[in-house]
Amino acid sequence: AIIVPIGSTEQHGPIGLIGTDSLTASAVAHGIGECNGALVGPSVSLSVAQFNLGFPGTISLRASTLMAIVNDYVLSLKRQGFEQFYFVNGHGANVAVAKAAFQDIYAQWSLGSMAGQPPRCRLRSWWDYPQADALRKQWYGLGEGMHATPSEIAMTLHLLPGSERKASPQALAAPAQLPAAFLRDHGGDNHWDAQTHQAAFPDGRVGSDSALATAEQGKQLLEAAIAGGCDDFAAFV
Ligand code: NI
């Protein structure tokens, strides 16, 4: 088995780092690897983020490109004897794309173009592990929002002390809460085009009160996510 961190390269609001999703996924993945004595592969750090292309620093793959990368990553290591691929995710838009890629991987065995034992793939987002999910709900409530979340900002503050970007109190005022219909329709970063997205969320935060984040919370969130991932990886293999 091998653990694969998968993140993104995109804006993260007034104080967050462009590499947030890859930094967090990589840290959680390495913690799970240490816990289980498992190998951690190189991170997939570019992803589908077309909705954030209005913000400098964002690099987006098309969904079909990311699916091809996931396929080639898995089949390269499958050829060398790896059988189980556990993706630790840090970016909402990866969920649908990676799961579609897994289906196309299995289809190569189902349709007969590949022979032998097929690989097994799983993707988990670090904030969905029950231990981490409980903390973010307790600390941030609806202020967690959907992007530039205080939980992911907290984790990068812990991982890279002093990396906090400066912003005025005005720029960090709590954003409006997201309507229930928006949460229902746009979960998993199911956003529209970049122009529409930037017009709706001009400072890059999507209902997230990033300023709630502290480095100490980030330390606890990282430990909680690793604990949850350690159990889930053990169950997977
Ligand atoms: Ni993020």
Side-chain angles (χ1 to χ4, degrees):
I2 190 163
I3 299 168
V4 183
I6 183 166
S8 184
T9 300
E10 60 178 354
Q11 69 84 14
H12 270 79
I15 56 170
L17 305 178
I18 286 171
T20 294
D21 296 353
S22 299
L23 288 164
T24 53
S26 181
V28 174
H30 280 89
I32 296 171
E34 277 179 29
C35 169
N36 281 285
L39 286 171
V40 180
S43 297
V44 179
S45 295
L46 296 180
S47 178
V48 175
Q50 59 78 21
F51 42 85
N52 272 325
L53 282 173
F55 297 92
T58 300
I59 300 171
S60 183
L61 303 180
R62 284 165 290 167
S64 54
T65 307
L66 181 58
M67 286 180 67
I69 288 171
V70 170
N71 178 81
D72 294 355
Y73 194 125
V74 168
L75 293 194
S76 295
L77 293 180
K78 172 76 176 83
R79 190 183 190 282
Q80 297 158 21
F82 288 90
E83 297 170 345
Q84 295 162 308
F85 298 81
Y86 187 88
F87 288 75
V88 176
N89 179 41
H91 175 60
N94 288 335
V95 177
V97 180
K99 288 183 176 176
F102 298 164
Q103 287 301 309
D104 274 5
I105 288 167
Y106 305 145
Q108 293 167 79
W109 273 263
S110 302
L111 295 170
S113 59
M114 297 286 280
Q117 188 68 23
R120 290 280 180 269
C121 304
R122 177 180 285 189
L123 177 139
R124 290 284 188 264
S125 300
W126 64 260
W127 55 83
D128 281 337
Y129 295 124
Q131 296 90 328
D133 193 39
L135 289 179
R136 68 192 188 117
K137 284 185 172 133
Q138 174 193 330
W139 289 334
Y140 312 130
L142 291 172
E144 172 75 344
M146 288 178 63
H147 184 67
T149 64
S151 59
E152 63 183 346
I153 304 282
M155 201 181 286
T156 58
L157 290 176
H158 166 62
L159 292 170
L160 294 174
S163 67
E164 185 173 6
R165 294 168 58 216
K166 302 287 180 254
S168 69
Q170 188 184 10
L172 285 175
Q177 286 179 4
L178 298 171
F182 186 93
L183 289 166
R184 180 194 66 212
D185 294 342
H186 297 278
D189 287 342
N190 186 31
H191 298 304
W192 289 323
D193 62 275
Q195 291 85 344
T196 306
H197 193 68
Q198 191 172 21
F201 303 102
D203 70 11
R205 299 176 299 173
V206 182
S208 295
D209 193 354
S210 309
L212 297 175
T214 70
E216 174 56 31
Q217 290 166 346
K219 179 173 184 288
Q220 292 184 48
L221 276 165
L222 178 60
E223 290 168 356
I226 290 169
C230 188
D231 293 344
D232 191 61
F233 178 84
F236 175 61
V237 299

